[in-house]
Amino acid sequence: DPVVEMSANEIINGSPGFVGLIAVVEMYLDTVVLSESVRRKIDTYIAFIHGRADGSIMTAAAWIRKFVRSHPAYAFDSVVSSEINYDLVVALDDIANGRRLAPELLGEGNSC
């Protein structure tokens, strides 16, 4: 068989002619006995992986870049001041401790 170049999204989520890894995992999960709560939890992880692969859920690096670039103190000079850095660390701590939602980073309904 010939080698076909694919993006991470195509490998994970599939493309015409290729089923994708998520579909393979879901087919496997359909053959094993799992409690409803375990399957729901696995499904949230699969949805996260799907979203990260298709770009609908941001990477941490993209989220941090967006945060810095949208900060009122950022002068678009590639300098991340102590004020911006402090606000970034506070925002990340708030996300990690559930005080701030970040669905664009963690997916809908997910928290750390």
Side-chain angles (χ1 to χ4, degrees), residues 15-29:
S15 64
F18 183 74
V19 69
L21 295 178
I22 285 180
V24 172
V25 169
E26 287 177 334
M27 285 186 273
Y28 169 74
L29 291 172

Side-chain angles (χ1 to χ4, degrees), residues 68 74 77-85 88:
V68 169
Y74 186 62
D77 56 1
S78 299
V79 175
V80 179
S81 67
S82 58
E83 176 187 359
I84 298 168
N85 193 43
L88 174 62

Side-chain angles (χ1 to χ4, degrees), residues 51-65:
R52 186 59 66 80
D54 75 9
S56 62
I57 298 176
M58 300 173 86
T59 64
W63 190 91
I64 290 169
R65 274 192 302 276

Side-chain angles (χ1 to χ4, degrees), residues 47-59 102-108 110:
F48 175 79
I49 293 165
H50 169 80
R52 186 59 66 80
D54 75 9
S56 62
I57 298 176
M58 300 173 86
T59 64
E104 68 280 8
L105 178 61
L106 302 174
E108 283 299 325
N110 293 328

Side-chain angles (χ1 to χ4, degrees), residues 25-44:
V25 169
E26 287 177 334
M27 285 186 273
Y28 169 74
L29 291 172
D30 290 341
T31 68
V32 296
V33 178
L34 298 170
S35 71
E36 189 176 321
S37 64
V38 168
R39 181 61 193 255
R40 274 196 313 270
K41 189 66 171 174
I42 291 170
D43 287 344
T44 62

